[in-house]
Amino acid sequence: MFALLRLTVRRLVILPPMLLGVTLLVFVVLQFSPNDPAYNALGDGASPEARAAYRAEHGLDDPLPLRYVRFLGQLAQGDLGYTAPPATPVIDRVVTAFPLTIQLTVLGLVLAVAGALAFGVTGALHRDRWPDQVTRVLSIAGVAMPSFWLGILLIQEFALGVPIFPTGGYVNPADSVTGWLLSLALPSIAIAVPAAASLSRLVRTSMVEELDKDYVRTATGNGLPRAIVVRGALRNALITPLTVLGLRVGYLLSGAVVIETIFDLPGMGKLILEGVTNGDVALVQGAVLTIAVAFLLVNLVVDLLYLLVNPRIRAV
């Protein structure tokens, strides 16, 4: 228990420098944007003198390190700046959009993990036989299938061809749980399939290695039920896939941003697209920073889960 606590503290200690690095990267990259905040704020009719006064008033001509320190101070107060006119706090836009992206990512993660377990375990238990060959072909096809292309196909087949699901839009679960599930069904499938396909190959490989180990053969030879043996082997086999689960969650987050645009979902993807289209640096900066921080926190949670399920790490 002490070893687990020590490793947890170690992970938490390195989190602030990583967050600081993320803020620095996002800030510096967007400072080289050709969009002028003064132009976006004042509009086409503003004179060069008015724009210069706006830049001086808001410190846009200050040295980059000074602007970064000021940016960190604003972040510490929960201030992500203001959007282009009509000016609204970026934090308000993010708070409205981010929950939908989280909902879509979580649904996609559930489907991806379920699919990976089903395909991976099936392939391992029927190694080199036809079920294994079928799951292998489907996994390769899933990895090669871009989520945005799959999303378009799903709309064409299951929203336009057979109108089971809506073509887009979002239904709040407070209004209708069924409508909410229907509105997120196709987007979550679109982002889940490539992730499930790649994870299933890891599950299959790890499961095969576990089934070939001596403890499994001994348990089987002693007459233990096959279901119990498979369950024990699966728990050990999941240690390796769990190490890349954090990266898969990051993929799901990024995929959700693209898929939201295709399905017209008012999430972070639509927010970023709006910011890029309008040249709104503050909006893009706030949205990208939120997603990057969420990715770091998810990886921290996955690391902690890895410590819990892997007794060899806890013994270090």
Side-chain angles (χ1 to χ4, degrees), residues 26-27 30-31 71 80 280-290:
V26 172
F27 178 80
L30 290 179
Q31 292 308 304
F71 174 67
L80 293 175
D280 194 335
V281 176
L283 186 59
V284 175
Q285 181 174 262
V288 172
L289 184 61
T290 301

Side-chain angles (χ1 to χ4, degrees), residues 38 42 47-57 61:
L42 300 178
S47 64
E49 293 77 11
R51 294 176 188 170
Y54 179 91
R55 296 183 61 86
E57 179 183 356
D61 294 325

